[in-house]
Amino acid sequence: MQNEHRKAIQNNFGSLVEQTDLDVMVSALYEKGVFSEQMIEPFKDTNKDTRTRKRQLYMDIMRRGPDAFGHLLEALEENGYWNLVRDLDPASSLHLQPRNTYNNQDSKSGESNYVSIRTEKKRTKSNVEATKNEIQAASSASHKEGTDPSVEIPYFHVVKSRQFFEDNVDKDIKLYKTRGHQRGILVIFSYIQFCNDIEKYRKGVDIDCKKLKYLFDEIGFSVIAYQNLTKQETETTLKRLEEVLVGTECVFIVVSSHGYERAPRSADTDIRCSDGHLLSFLDIVERFNNANLPALRGVPKVFISQLCRGRNEEWTLVPRRRAGGAGDAAGAAADGAGGARGPHGARVESDGARWEEPLERQPDRIYSDILIAHSTVPGFVSHRDPEKGSWYIQALCEVFAARAHDCHVEKLFTLVDERMYDHFQVQTSSVEKWGFNRRLYLHPGLYED
């Protein structure tokens, strides 16, 4: 292996160990001939913890000849680890926009052609990154069941910012600081497949995850994705994530699973984990309040729930706007309601937090800088297209890619709801603010030296 390739692996060693799935990578590298059947046996030794085996995997790759690095990049790209491919290979085609897709006329704002985050502005390997490497692999590695490497990489144009927004735009409302290289961290918890098939397989969620990874990586975020964790694994991961997130400018947490309303019109939702146990959505939010995680006070924390919040189908009869097209309800699904029929008889599916009293502390507000975006309102289902992904995430990726450069986050979520209505006519999203009293601009691709 060339020295520059070995150095690239060494510089990104912690991210490789932290963000990849051992079984997926071992299988992919074996199929590409990097390792023989005998050589992969140590990686299957369950007497050693997963983290140790992953460390050994990436150390061994550096001794596997001149073609091993190329095969590693191929395996990472095929399994959706595009941010790692970009960090490892400055010449990767993932830094470029596909030809004949977008041009200056495609952008209403007159922005130039797609330009990804410059390689020389790679996110600094800071204390946050070092701490991230300490997360146990048992809770960070996503299970390979439910992943679909055949899903195409979702190229789309993410318009970059050309200048920072300033506090003096609105004297009454200040801005959250989002100018540094530690712009933010996106954490995705997705639950697709469930133990003993107690819930229906959530086809299309892989597409959501890949779109979100691509979008936020282009905006300038680090991305960590977890898939099909048990309840215990989810809770353990959340606890360890608290250390990882300290030092970043912004945090987004996405939760996608079957969801269930806890009580009629309740603000809380139960999330189905892969082992069948339920976890409160608000329990997740509670972990990041000022009492439980004071180090993130003043840091914007945005929670996105792609969950059903009940069993009701949301539509009423109005004059039909158009027939068919991208916004037709045909083929949609919902998580948590077990499936139903859409407004025109189309088959649909749906994505169907307990409070704890905080310890007494010195006077200070418990909740601040938290924004919660729900894909639907309490009591209603959240729709998902098995081929294109959930309606809400489709709309969110389209809006954030096109408008994050000139809109603050609250306006973006307003536009997401408008886009979802324009495309699908049914399903109303909602947003809650808990002391989220500043404007949050993501400034995609723009950094302050």
Side-chain angles (χ1 to χ4, degrees):
M1 180 175 289
Q2 297 179 25
N3 286 334
E4 62 179 304
H5 294 161
R6 186 178 294 108
K7 186 175 181 180
I9 293 175
Q10 292 169 347
N11 289 341
N12 294 279
F13 194 82
S15 297
L16 286 165
V17 172
E18 161 63 23
Q19 298 181 28
T20 58
D21 179 276
L22 176 64
D23 292 338
V24 168
M25 293 304 296
V26 169
S27 177
L29 292 168
Y30 169 72
E31 291 175 359
K32 294 180 182 300
V34 177
F35 297 110
S36 66
E37 187 170 356
Q38 183 178 1
M39 295 172 71
I40 65 174
E41 287 303 316
F43 308 136
K44 299 179 180 179
D45 183 5
T46 55
N47 291 322
K48 298 179 180 179
D49 63 72
T50 307
R51 179 181 177 78
T52 299
R53 286 180 281 153
K54 280 203 284 186
R55 290 177 61 85
Q56 188 62 51
L57 170 70
Y58 293 113
M59 286 190 289
D60 288 354
I61 285 176
M62 291 187 281
R63 298 190 287 266
R64 291 305 301 149
D67 296 329
F69 185 74
H71 290 313
L72 171 62
L73 295 179
E74 291 172 0
L76 291 168
E77 181 173 341
E78 290 169 2
N79 288 283
Y81 300 115
W82 309 304
N83 54 328
L84 290 176
V85 176
R86 288 178 174 133
D87 288 343
L88 287 165
D89 182 16
S92 169
S93 61
L94 292 181
H95 289 284
L96 304 176
Q97 180 195 5
R99 295 182 180 180
N100 303 324
T101 303
Y102 297 98
N103 54 44
N104 289 346
Q105 283 135 4
D106 289 327
S107 175
K108 292 182 180 178
S109 62
E111 295 287 339
S112 60
N113 283 353
Y114 175 98
V115 180
S116 71
I117 301 168
R118 295 176 58 189
T119 305
E120 59 268 28
K121 286 191 173 182
K122 289 181 181 178
R123 289 176 291 282
T124 309
K125 306 301 180 183
S126 61
N127 291 336
V128 174
E129 184 69 20
T131 309
K132 184 188 302 181
N133 295 337
E134 296 300 318
I135 297 182
Q136 296 276 346
S139 57
S140 68
S142 59
H143 300 281
K144 66 179 179 179
E145 295 90 344
T147 59
D148 184 4
S150 66
V151 177
E152 292 184 2
I153 298 174
Y155 287 109
F156 44 81
H157 183 45
V158 180
V159 181
K160 300 303 189 294
S161 294
R162 293 191 172 186
Q163 63 182 16
F164 291 111
F165 285 87
E166 305 290 346
D167 274 327
N168 58 14
V169 173
D170 188 332
K171 295 181 180 179
D172 294 326
I173 302 179
K174 302 299 183 183
L175 306 185
Y176 287 109
K177 183 180 182 300
T178 51
R179 297 191 175 200
H181 289 269
Q182 299 177 44
R183 179 61 43 83
I185 296 178
L186 168 69
V187 185
I188 305 173
F189 291 93
S190 61
Y191 304 85
I192 301 176
Q193 204 165 28
F194 302 89
C195 181
N196 299 321
D197 294 326
I198 62 173
E199 295 282 7
K200 192 172 182 179
Y201 178 82
R202 300 177 65 235
K203 185 177 180 181
V205 176
D206 274 328
I207 301 170
D208 286 348
C209 293
K210 293 193 174 186
K211 285 181 176 179
L212 288 168
K213 287 179 183 178
Y214 183 83
L215 170 68
F216 278 85
D217 186 70
E218 284 299 312
I219 290 174
F221 278 52
S222 298
V223 179
I224 309 174
Y226 304 94
Q227 192 170 95
N228 295 335
L229 299 184
T230 64
K231 180 180 179 180
Q232 182 60 52
E233 288 172 336
T234 303
E235 292 175 335
T236 301
T237 299
L238 286 165
K239 184 175 181 180
R240 295 185 180 277
L241 275 175
E242 294 171 1
E243 304 171 10
V244 177
L245 301 179
V246 174
T248 190
E249 292 182 336
C250 179
V251 177
F252 274 67
I253 296 179
V254 177
V255 181
S256 175
S257 184
H258 289 293
Y260 304 91
E261 187 180 22
R262 304 201 81 204
R265 294 291 178 176
S266 171
D268 199 2
T269 306
D270 278 329
I271 302 161
R272 181 74 73 186
C273 298
S274 66
D275 58 355
H277 292 292
L278 298 175
L279 178 66
S280 160
F281 177 76
L282 288 185
D283 272 355
I284 294 177
V285 178
E286 286 288 303
R287 292 176 179 270
F288 299 93
N289 67 30
N290 295 334
N292 293 327
L293 191 53
L296 286 188
R297 194 185 194 288
V299 175
K301 299 166 282 287
V302 180
F303 298 83
I304 299 174
S305 76
Q306 174 51 47
L307 307 159
C308 279
R309 305 179 70 190
R311 294 179 175 271
N312 295 320
E313 305 286 343
E314 184 196 352
W315 50 64
T316 185
L317 296 177
V318 294
R320 191 169 184 177
R321 298 172 61 191
R322 62 176 177 268
D328 200 350
D335 291 314
R341 294 279 166 184
H344 309 303
R347 182 66 183 174
V348 297
E349 295 176 12
S350 39
D351 275 321
R354 289 176 238 354
W355 295 94
E356 294 182 4
E357 291 295 330
L359 297 175
E360 187 173 345
R361 299 175 183 269
Q362 65 182 28
D364 190 13
R365 67 193 317 186
I366 295 177
Y367 304 103
S368 69
D369 314 297
I370 291 175
L371 185 147
I372 304 173
H374 297 283
S375 61
T376 189
V377 293
F380 289 85
V381 301
S382 181
H383 298 283
R384 171 174 36 84
D385 186 314
E387 303 302 325
K388 299 179 181 179
S390 64
W391 291 359
Y392 185 67
I393 300 301
Q394 287 182 56
L396 184 148
C397 288
E398 291 174 8
V399 168
F400 274 57
R403 300 299 305 275
H405 72 288
D406 66 355
C407 294
H408 55 77
V409 164
E410 290 177 61
K411 183 175 179 179
L412 289 174
F413 281 113
T414 299
L415 296 176
V416 168
D417 188 71
E418 290 183 355
R419 180 70 60 93
M420 191 163 58
Y421 176 73
D422 183 58
H423 283 1
F424 307 108
Q425 289 79 62
V426 297
Q427 187 173 322
T428 302
S429 64
S430 62
V431 175
E432 302 175 39
K433 296 200 306 177
W434 297 5
F436 197 88
N437 297 331
R438 296 186 173 217
R439 300 291 192 211
L440 173 58
Y441 288 94
L442 300 179
H443 296 130
L446 187 63
Y447 302 92
E448 188 173 69
D449 294 330

